[in-house]
Amino acid sequence: MDTEGIKLFVLAAEKLNISAAGRELGMPPAVASARLAKLENAVGADLLRRSTRKVALSTEGAEFLPFAREILAQENAALAAMGFGNEHVAGTLRLTASSTFAQQYVLPLMPEFLELYPGINLDLRLSDMELDLIQGSFDLALRDSVLPDSNLKARKLADDRRLLCASPEYLAKWGTPKHPDDLCSHQLIAFKSQATINLIGPDGEQGKFNPRAPGNRLIIDDGLSYKIATMAGAGIAMHALWSVHRELAEGTLVQVLADFRMDAEPALWLVYPKSNVLTAKVRVFIDFLLERIGNRPPWLEGEAVTPSEAD
């Protein structure tokens, strides 16, 4: 199959406009239509439904689209393996990540990345609700845990810590808990489907943080709103250190039960579909984030982080 035709199909599927996709590839509308028809003849199916008003992806086109993207990704990987430079790494990279983390740490780096790799376009889907990597045809996801999925691989971006915090105003009004058992008399804030978290004290004593206990009244599914509610004095919440390290330093948030730690500390992971070849666009983006964030995460104050991989 003609890879230029496949490239045209992928662009047309993303834009739902054959002429616009053709123009991006330097093809006149008539040439683009003929190129797409040739690809459809090769695969034996109509990939796009055309009408006088709109273009839509057919059922067969939706099934073919992930394979088409993989063909182009393999082509880019092959070119990279043959020694082509940054200017030849091309394609659209689809990333899903926590909107809160991306706003704070990823988006400020994007002008630099786009200048380094002029052939790469970024399609960022940012949400604190976890989007399915495979079903959404994403190249890469940023997660705070490794998903138990045999179709995925992961590279650690950076270590992290979770800690309980509250505003000074809340603690002045409700008092400061000395032991996890004291939390039952406090207002707790839950982050979306947050489960009970086991806490371990310095002498091995154990306790729990259960933000979904009966009587707790506030559940939030947006990371920034979750932090704002904590700072406003709505209760005690479990936060990632990357999210609140500045507020802790400024004193607008105070760590609670500092002697207790989670039974398993989390990390930030870059997760991607398992493949024989890590595509060039994904490889350079991962390397870029590891260099700019992973090597010196600001929330760990320069502590060394050793990147690792996990299946």
Side-chain angles (χ1 to χ4, degrees):
M1 284 181 285
D2 175 18
T3 55
E4 283 299 304
I6 293 174
K7 194 177 298 182
L8 172 67
F9 163 66
V10 170
L11 280 173
E14 292 172 350
K15 296 176 179 293
L16 295 180
N17 188 313
I18 298 171
S19 297
R23 282 195 298 272
E24 189 165 325
L25 296 175
M27 300 179 190
V31 174
S33 295
R35 203 69 170 264
L36 186 58
K38 182 179 178 182
L39 176 63
E40 290 175 320
N41 287 333
V43 301
D46 290 334
L47 301 175
L48 296 170
R49 304 291 187 193
R50 294 89 148 169
S51 71
T52 54
R53 292 187 176 182
K54 64 179 182 179
V55 172
L57 200 60
S58 69
T59 302
E60 295 82 1
E63 293 174 350
F64 180 66
L65 184 58
F67 297 101
R69 286 188 171 125
E70 180 64 19
I71 289 169
L72 297 179
Q74 294 290 345
E75 180 188 38
N76 288 336
L79 291 172
M82 295 301 293
F84 285 85
N86 292 352
E87 68 276 11
H88 296 286
V89 180
T92 297
L93 189 150
R94 287 171 51 81
L95 168 74
T96 176
S98 155
S99 57
T100 312
F101 184 88
Q103 289 161 9
Q104 197 163 337
Y105 297 104
V106 178
L107 294 179
L109 299 173
M110 290 304 92
E112 180 186 2
F113 179 81
L114 293 172
E115 185 175 353
L116 283 172
Y117 298 97
I120 296 180
N121 300 317
L122 296 175
D123 183 352
L124 308 181
R125 303 303 169 95
L126 307 178
S127 171
D128 286 323
M129 300 300 291
E130 204 165 87
L131 303 181
D132 187 275
L133 187 63
I134 302 298
Q135 196 170 36
S137 297
F138 291 106
D139 299 295
L140 190 64
L142 199 150
R143 299 278 190 251
D144 61 3
S145 63
V146 179
L147 303 181
D149 189 328
S150 60
N151 294 315
L152 301 176
K153 294 189 72 174
R155 182 80 180 271
K156 188 167 76 172
L157 174 62
D159 289 317
D160 190 25
R161 289 198 292 272
R162 296 290 169 83
L163 48 117
L164 291 169
C165 21
S167 71
E169 293 77 14
Y170 173 88
L171 296 175
K173 180 177 180 180
W174 294 92
T176 301
K178 305 300 183 184
H179 188 277
D181 292 346
D182 299 336
L183 294 173
C184 63
S185 61
H186 281 268
Q187 296 294 320
L188 306 181
I189 309 173
F191 184 62
K192 51 183 182 180
S193 57
Q194 192 174 48
T196 299
I197 297 170
N198 295 320
L199 302 172
I200 302 174
D203 299 323
E205 56 185 319
Q206 298 191 15
K208 295 183 182 294
F209 171 70
N210 180 11
R212 306 299 290 269
N216 293 341
R217 302 167 59 194
L218 188 56
I219 303 171
I220 301 176
D221 69 352
D222 173 75
L224 179 58
S225 302
Y226 183 65
K227 183 165 70 174
I228 290 172
T230 311
M231 295 173 64
I236 298 173
M238 178 74 74
H239 284 276
L241 182 59
W242 63 256
S243 176
V244 297
H245 72 103
R246 293 191 182 98
E247 288 75 16
L248 291 170
E250 294 165 356
T252 52
L253 285 176
V254 178
Q255 186 174 359
V256 175
L257 296 175
D259 291 338
F260 286 79
R261 59 177 178 81
M262 288 180 60
D263 58 353
E265 292 294 353
L268 293 164
W269 295 86
L270 295 164
V271 181
Y272 51 93
K274 184 178 289 186
S275 174
N276 291 332
V277 179
L278 186 61
T279 61
K281 63 184 179 182
V282 175
R283 174 178 52 78
V284 298
F285 193 74
I286 288 176
D287 289 345
F288 177 81
L289 292 183
L290 286 170
E291 170 62 27
R292 299 297 187 275
I293 300 174
N295 286 343
R296 47 181 183 276
W299 58 91
L300 295 180
E301 300 177 343
E303 294 179 26
V305 177
T306 302
S308 63
E309 284 194 13
D311 287 353

